[in-house]
């Protein structure tokens, strides 16, 4: 006989497939066997139909297509014998699903088998219907299933209950037909029928409020009685599992009681006694007992209770935390997190155990315990808990330090009542895990230090000590360098010594050495080195005797390959050489920033851009329009949107003196925000005016030339006079040399262009504002402003535009990719359009806007043809 003929036994085919050494051999065997089965199907071979279908099921399990055998399932189901029907129904459940159109043909066969005199055939039909029932089949066959819920055989009743669950999930409207039948199943003595009846009642409660009210009034007492009988039942070998009678039925009953008691005080009151009995009598030394206790705790937490049972439940969870099984401890931590909203005081009693879980070897338990502990911290226990967490931070794993550091910093900032305690704890964190501290955390620390005038000396000395022992922590080095630059004289002169401090002797050379170490560390990044250069410039004014040494350190970076550091070195060197008169005023200590301003700016409540007054702005000699009113600059939020991103040449150093964030690359990246001209921070404080950031494309060799040194200071030597006086009357003044090139005649104002609503729908508005570059009428600058008119936040916001060939389009990055809801903010994006046929053809543009809201992708398109004609 051909080994791959339709008469081959199933075991022989399986043996042939398993003997294949490669996937190609296996595919060849399967292909030959499928060909033989197809030939047998075409010949209508009834003798081997059941064997062919068995082979197809095995081939289906291996992942090969078997759709050509679906009709064989129906033929076997229509057979009279039980063996053929069994193979047919098994193939139906495996080879088909409810989406197959072929399934419609089997409805009549199922109806006949549900009314068959052989209970085993009825069981086959119920099993198949419960697995692949569609909505149409559910409507057609629900009367038969409902009738079988009262069948004499318990196995049929059990299968009918499971099939009913599938039917009400597919067609919830049929739920009311099963309410009375399901209630009668709750009185069953057979545990198999009872457990399926309980599950049917639970699903009915989820899809029908009418069923929920019916079971609350009619069945709660009976369920409580049934659960009590099971809890107090003697040993029964038929249902015993680890010494507990039918834990599966225990759990199903508790889940149904939870559904009935949630939101109903009367039903909850009727079940409190039995819940307390289950919680106290169930043994917790077996896994089955722990499963019952967990469900009991979850039920207690969900029903309406006065609090006594909740304390008992939380104590059970506390015992779970001492269990050796990690799974039990993990679910206990999850449940305790929910319990904190109900009874935080009871959870507080297990704080020590939870703290031990933070130090567990399992990563998932550590993380969940840390989240729970974070919820338990309050004003009364914050200090001992923070002390324990910081001590553990010293020995914790590297992969856990990030989460632990973030939680500690958040708690210290949230609950600190004294600035000195806040500073001490933050210094400990920086010393142990400074590389894991986020930027906004050390920005906030600098803000607190600058506002605590009576602690300046104490802080700079503490940072100096920490710096000497923990130079590998990048964030600690930054904060220490900043403080030494600001308060270096206090460090040397021991100003503001506190009683808790140990005396320390620091010379001017020691302070300069510390900053020099920060610059020369090979692990220091661009931001740290730039801050160190600023600190050296400030120390040159505070330590006149060390000025020459500081100058030598600064000059060493004059040939640095990083353009940012190179320009700073050149500019600072020029200040030290030729501008001694203004140096002390230029590097004065940072002014104290208003706390409300800083907090609001961190929360994003302050505007992120300075808008010019209406109409054509006045053109200052340096080409920057002076706003009517400039907000107070953020001196410490180093990554604030208000501070312009560094230019390709390193930006402007007066702002850098005040600690502007430095990008590690030459061009802005990350948030994709375009560089913006801004009011100079220092000069705005002095009410002097504005300046243009340095823009240079010269090579490094050109910058090293002496003539280029002067150009590097162009932004300082072309400052306008007092900003409060009219622009056209303000003479130019060189703040560094005391004289300048003299007043310049301001440029003529450009033509005003009317704004255009480029696109507007019920959810989004796009506004275009136009301007022209002087002497370039063919170039149009467009500022697009996007406003969200809906109540949902738009994420992953993306604007795209296309123009014809006679136009050239350049898009700058958008200011953000998140658009706040209800017009509570906007996104801006700059476009530059060059018209090669200016005066002959008008602007035309097609735009596409994509964003995500409520986890759905939205795409909007529009053709814009109504641009102003004077463009």
């Amino acid at each position: 006989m051909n080994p791959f003929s339709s008469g081959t036994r199933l075991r022989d085919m399986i043996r042939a497939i398993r003997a294949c050494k490669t996937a190609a051999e296996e595919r060849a065997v399967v292909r030959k066997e499928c060909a033989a089965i197809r030939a047998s199907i075409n010949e209508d071979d009834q003798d081997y139909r059941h064997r062919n279908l068995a082979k197809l099921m095995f081939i289906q399990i291996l992942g090969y297509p078997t759709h050509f055998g679906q009709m064989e399932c129906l033929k076997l189901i229509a057979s009279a014998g039980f063996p053929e029907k069994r193979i047919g129904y098994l193939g139906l459940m495996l080879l088909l699903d409810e989406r197959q159109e072929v399934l419609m043909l089997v409805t009549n066969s199922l109806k006949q088998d549900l009314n068959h005199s052989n209970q085993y055939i009825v069981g086959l039909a119920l099993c198949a219907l419960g697995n692949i029932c569609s909505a149409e089949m559910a409507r057609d066959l629900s009367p038969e299933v409902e009738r079988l819920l009262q069948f004499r055989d318990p196995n049929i009743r059990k299968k009918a209950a499971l099939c009913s669950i599938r039917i009400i999930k597919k067609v919830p409207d049929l739920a009311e037909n099963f309410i009375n039948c399901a209630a009668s199943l709750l009185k069953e003595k057979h545990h198999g029928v009872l457990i399926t009846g309980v599950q049917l009642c639970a699903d009915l409660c989820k899809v029908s409020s009418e069923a929920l009210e019916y079971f609350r009034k009619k069945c709660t007492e009976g369920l409580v009685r049934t659960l009590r009988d099971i809890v107090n039942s003697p040993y029964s070998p038929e249902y015993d599992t680890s010494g507990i009678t039918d834990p599966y039925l225990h759990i199903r009953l508790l889940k149904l009681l939870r559904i009935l008691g949630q939101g109903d005080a009367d039903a909850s009151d009727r079940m409190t006694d039995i819940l307390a009995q289950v919680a106290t009598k169930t043994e917790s030394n077996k896994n089955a007992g722990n499963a019952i206790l967990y469900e009991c705790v979850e039920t207690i937490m969900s029903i309406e209770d006065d609090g006594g049972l909740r304390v008992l439940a939380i104590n059970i969870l506390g015992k779970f935390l001492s269990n050796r099984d990690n799974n039990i401890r993990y679910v206990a931590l999850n449940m305790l997190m929910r319990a904190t909203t109900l009874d935080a005081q009871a959870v507080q009693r297990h704080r020590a155990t939870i703290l031990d879980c933070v130090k567990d070897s399992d990563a998932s338990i550590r993380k969940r315990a840390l989240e729970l502990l974070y919820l338990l911290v309050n004003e009364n226990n914050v200090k001992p808990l923070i002390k324990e967490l910081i001590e553990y931070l010293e020995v914790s794993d590297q992969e856990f330090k990030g989460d632990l550091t973030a939680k500690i910093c958040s708690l210290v900032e949230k609950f600190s009542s004294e600035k000195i305690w806040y500073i001490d704890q933050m210094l400990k964190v920086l010393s142990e895990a400074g590389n894991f501290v986020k930027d906004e955390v050390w920005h906030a620390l600098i803000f607190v230090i600058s506002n605590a005038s009576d602690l300046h000396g104490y802080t700079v000395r503490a940072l100096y000590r920490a710096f000497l022992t923990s130079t590998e922590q990048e964030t600690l080095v930054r904060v220490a360098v900043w403080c030494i630059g600001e308060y270096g004289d206090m460090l040397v002169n021991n100003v503001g010594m506190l009683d808790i401090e140990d005396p320390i002797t620091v010379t001017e050379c020691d302070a300069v050495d510390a900053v020099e170490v920060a610059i020369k560390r090979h692990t220091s990044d661009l931001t740290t080195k730039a801050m160190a250069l600023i600190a050296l410039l400030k120390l040159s004014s505070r330590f006149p005797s060390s000025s020459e040494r500081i100058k030598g350190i600064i000059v060493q970076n004059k040939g640095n390959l990083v353009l940012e550091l190179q320009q700073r070195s050149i500019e600072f060197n020029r200040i030290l050489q030729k501008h001694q008169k203004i140096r002390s005023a230029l590097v004065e200590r940072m002014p104290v920033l208003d706390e409300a301003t800083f907090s609001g700016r961190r929360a994003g409540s302050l505007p992120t851009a300075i808008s010019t007054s209406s109409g054509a702005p006045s053109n200052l000699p340096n080409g920057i329009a002076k706003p009517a009113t400039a907000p107070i600059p953020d001196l410490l939020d180093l990554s604030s949107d208000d501070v312009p991103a560094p230019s390709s040449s390193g930006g402007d150093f007066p702002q850098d003196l005040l600690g502007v964030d430095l990008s590690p690359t030459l061009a802005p990246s990350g948030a994709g925000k375009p560089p913006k001209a801004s009011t100079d921070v220092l000069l705005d404080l002095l009410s002097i005016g504005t300046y243009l950031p340095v823009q240079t494309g010269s090579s490094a060799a050109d910058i090293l030339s002496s003539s280029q040194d002067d150009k590097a200071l162009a932004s300082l030597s072309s400052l306008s006079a007092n900003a409060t006086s009219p622009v056209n009357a303000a003479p130019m003044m060189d703040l560094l040399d005391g004289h300048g090139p003299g007043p310049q005649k301001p440029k003529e104002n450009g033509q005003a262009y009317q704004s255009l609503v480029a696109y507007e729908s019920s959810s989004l508005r796009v506004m275009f504002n136009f301007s022209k570059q002087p002497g370039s009428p063919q170039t149009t600058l467009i500022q697009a402003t996007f406003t969200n008119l809906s109540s949902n936040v738009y994420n992953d916001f993306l604007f795209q535009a296309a123009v014809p060939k006679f136009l050239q389009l350049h898009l700058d990055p958008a200011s953000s990719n998140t658009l706040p809801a209800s017009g509570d903010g906007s996104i801006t994006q700059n476009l530059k359009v060059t018209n090669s046929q200016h005066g002959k053809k008008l602007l035309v543009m097609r735009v596409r806007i994509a964003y995500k809201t409520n986890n759905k992708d939205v795409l909007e398109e529009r053709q814009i043809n109504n641009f102003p004609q004077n463009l």
Side-chain angles (χ1 to χ4, degrees), residues 717-776:
S717 61
S718 61
L719 296 170
S720 63
N722 196 319
T724 59
S725 62
V727 175
N728 56 2
M732 293 297 297
M733 181 183 72
D734 185 355
L735 291 180
L736 302 181
D737 288 323
H739 56 82
Q744 297 181 3
K745 182 179 179 179
K747 300 178 181 178
E748 296 181 359
N749 292 337
Q751 181 180 355
Y753 300 95
Q754 184 177 2
S755 298
L756 170 67
V757 179
Y759 176 79
E760 186 166 14
S761 65
S762 60
S763 58
L764 182 67
R765 182 171 64 243
V766 183
M767 180 74 72
F768 281 1
N769 294 315
F770 306 98
S771 61
K772 291 280 191 180
Q773 289 182 341
S776 182

Side-chain angles (χ1 to χ4, degrees), residues 50 89 129 143 268 276 319 347 349 385 392 442 492 550 575 590 605 806 826:
H50 65 285
Y89 277 120
L129 187 62
S268 300
K319 293 180 181 178
V347 181
R349 300 191 186 101
L385 282 179
Y392 175 62
W442 66 270
V492 172
I550 291 173
I575 293 174
M590 290 276 286
S605 61
F806 68 88
S826 60

Side-chain angles (χ1 to χ4, degrees), residues 186-206:
L186 298 180
K187 301 175 183 178
E188 288 280 350
K189 299 300 182 182
H190 189 280
H191 282 206
V193 180
L194 180 58
I195 195 171
T196 55
V198 170
Q199 184 61 41
L200 176 59
C201 292
D203 285 292
L204 284 170
C205 292
K206 294 177 182 177

